[in-house]
Amino acid sequence: MTGTRTAEELDAADALAEFRTRFVGHDDPGIPAYLDGNSLGRPTIAAGERWASFIDQQWGRRLIRGWDEGWFEAPLALGDRIGALTLGAAPGQTIVGDSTTVSLYKVVRAALGLRPGRDEIVVDRGNFPTDRYVAEGIARETGATLRWIDVSLGAGVSVADVEAAVGSRTAVVLLSHVAFRSGFVADIPEITRVVHDAGGLVVWDLCHSVGVLPIELDEWGVDFASGCTYKYLNGGPGSPAFLYVAADHIASAQQPIQGWMGVRDSFAMGREYEPAEGIRRFVSGTPPVSAMLGMETMLDLIESAGIEAIRAKSIALTEYAIALYDEHLAGFGVELSSPRDADVRGGHVTIDHPAFGELVGELWRDGVIPDFRPPSGIRLGLSPLSTSFAEVEIAIDRIAAGLRARLG
């Protein structure tokens, strides 16, 4: 326990506690603490029911007719729902269909094409590897120059960092809303304003914020965004990502992966590529319809709980994790590598110690499952609708026991 309330008391007072029972494995005694929901969310119980119905009814009995009965429109319809519930995006700006890597490639290339005469892509060295790799590949393809922002291990990109990096050559700035390692929350409205003042466009990676933080892409003036759906949207391993293109850019932006599902009339099998009107032009190939089913059921839960309540519990969980860190882990020389200020902290907390690389394997064998991030970080991913305060307490206790056994 801490100097405030115990995990038992916090769980008893949790207004969202009932949602935890909606997830497969929530009561599995073999997994006493799952703190990796920011890497792979638990499946909802309803997802299994949805998949069974899809196989038996839509796929099994409607067969190819399903394309005329909803599948063809699924990338746009699901995109609109994600936009409305989690992105602050009006209809017609969001689609679902590719991986995050492919989606980021599309929107970064599209943004670069909207700024002819400018040749710099700004990205931070602390960004998730795929973001950096995509930026490097695009620079190599187009002759653009990468301008790097350096950040410390436990922090993220600030407004001042971006002000110092952008200029007359800036075409695109690619950043993450929530830093994948530290959990630092970037100031999207102010950074977007700074990029626009410099004449550039901004692409936001929302992988670690969608479904856990309130987001207002339209209100904030964001140009492009993308994010995965297997973390806080619980779509399952490899579930397709979404991408967002602001309405003002759709007509003029050219996406670089031209495919048959992004044209004016897909089934005309036309001789030449004619992009569809609206956001459909950012669709490429056949969408993974069955892989979209898991996140649909999670969106139902998000709609029921409300994103503001989800964020409030997220803050409570991370505050509790930090309080337990102070009480049980700081004395072992463990470093807190996430912000203490909840306003700039996302849904996970990272702690660092040289022994953690070895310790994580022991924790996993005991069914206590956090994440490991090099060089020495345990990342506690706290998914508000599926994580209990008791799980946080169990994980910190087991980490402390492991250190005690090693360090005395």
Side-chain angles (χ1 to χ4, degrees):
M1 62 177 293
T2 68
T4 54
R5 292 191 288 178
T6 65
E8 183 177 7
E9 291 169 334
L10 290 166
D11 280 325
D14 176 17
L16 300 182
E18 184 273 335
F19 283 93
R20 192 166 178 271
T21 66
R22 313 282 189 93
F23 294 89
V24 175
H26 71 276
D27 55 355
D28 183 353
I31 306 176
Y34 183 64
L35 301 187
D36 213 351
N38 67 323
S39 194
L40 178 66
R42 288 183 180 273
T44 66
I45 293 171
E49 300 166 354
R50 187 76 58 91
W51 265 310
S53 175
F54 174 82
I55 291 171
D56 183 60
Q57 299 298 322
Q58 293 186 47
W59 182 9
R61 301 184 192 279
R62 301 309 297 162
L63 297 168
I64 196 70
R65 293 173 291 182
W67 288 111
D68 294 325
E69 297 169 356
W71 298 349
F72 186 74
E73 295 301 326
L76 284 70
L78 186 55
D80 281 348
R81 191 163 189 230
I82 291 172
L85 291 176
T86 68
L87 303 179
Q93 300 175 104
T94 310
I95 59 165
V96 177
D98 299 299
S99 69
T100 306
T101 301
V102 173
S103 297
L104 283 172
Y105 177 82
K106 286 182 176 182
V107 292
V108 173
R109 280 295 303 267
L112 188 62
L114 291 176
R115 287 296 180 267
R118 289 171 172 254
D119 64 350
E120 285 192 350
I121 301 171
V122 177
V123 63
D124 66 290
R125 295 189 193 276
N127 213 330
F128 191 75
T130 209
D131 300 62
R132 293 183 279 109
Y133 301 161
V134 164
E136 290 172 355
I138 290 174
R140 188 164 54 246
E141 289 174 358
T142 64
T145 299
L146 294 181
R147 185 174 179 86
W148 294 98
I149 296 176
D150 291 300
V151 296
S152 60
L153 194 64
V157 178
S158 69
V159 175
D161 290 330
V162 176
E163 287 177 328
V166 298
S168 60
R169 294 176 58 190
T170 302
V172 187
V173 177
L174 170 61
L175 300 172
S176 286
H177 186 193
V178 173
F180 84 97
R181 195 181 195 283
S182 70
F184 178 88
V185 179
D187 188 343
I188 288 186
E190 278 302 298
I191 289 175
T192 298
R193 179 192 60 78
V194 167
V195 175
H196 288 172
D197 286 349
L201 298 172
V202 64
V203 174
W204 286 101
D205 180 333
L206 307 177
C207 285
H208 283 280
S209 60
V210 63
V212 72
L213 269 71
I215 298 171
E216 296 292 341
L217 296 184
D218 288 354
E219 180 181 327
W220 295 340
V222 168
D223 301 300
F224 299 88
S226 181
C228 65
T229 62
Y230 42 78
K231 302 182 191 301
Y232 299 111
L233 296 187
N234 300 66
S239 59
F242 63 88
L243 67 79
Y244 162 94
V245 181
D248 289 346
H249 296 314
I250 292 175
S252 53
Q254 290 187 323
Q255 74 111 325
I257 305 178
Q258 299 180 172
W260 80 295
M261 284 262 181
V263 299
R264 292 179 183 274
D265 186 349
S266 297
F267 297 100
M269 308 296 174
R271 293 177 62 86
E272 296 179 353
Y273 178 82
E274 294 183 67
E277 297 293 331
I279 192 65
R280 174 169 286 282
R281 66 179 56 197
F282 276 83
V283 178
S284 295
T286 305
V289 175
S290 60
M292 298 179 185
L293 301 179
M295 76 184 83
E296 291 178 355
T297 62
M298 185 61 185
L299 289 170
D300 294 340
L301 299 187
I302 291 173
E303 184 172 20
S304 178
I307 196 66
E308 295 293 343
I310 290 170
R311 173 58 173 161
K313 184 177 177 185
S314 175
I315 290 173
L317 285 167
T318 54
E319 291 283 359
Y320 187 57
I322 291 172
L324 292 176
Y325 154 83
D326 287 335
E327 186 171 344
H328 299 290
L329 300 180
F332 289 107
V334 178
E335 179 183 352
L336 177 65
S337 299
S338 294
R340 285 187 177 272
D341 182 356
D343 289 342
V344 292
R345 185 180 65 244
H348 63 268
V349 172
T350 299
I351 50 179
D352 274 275
H353 190 279
F356 282 169
E358 181 182 80
L359 180 57
V360 166
E362 296 177 10
L363 294 171
W364 277 41
R365 284 193 293 273
D366 292 338
V368 175
I369 306 176
D371 215 345
F372 180 77
R373 285 294 177 260
S376 59
I378 282 179
R379 194 175 64 170
L380 307 172
L382 312 175
S383 188
L385 295 187
S386 61
T387 304
S388 68
F389 291 91
E391 288 180 279
V392 179
E393 184 177 60
I394 289 167
I396 297 295
D397 284 348
R398 297 289 180 87
I399 293 168
L403 290 174
R404 193 176 299 112
R406 285 167 170 77
L407 306 176

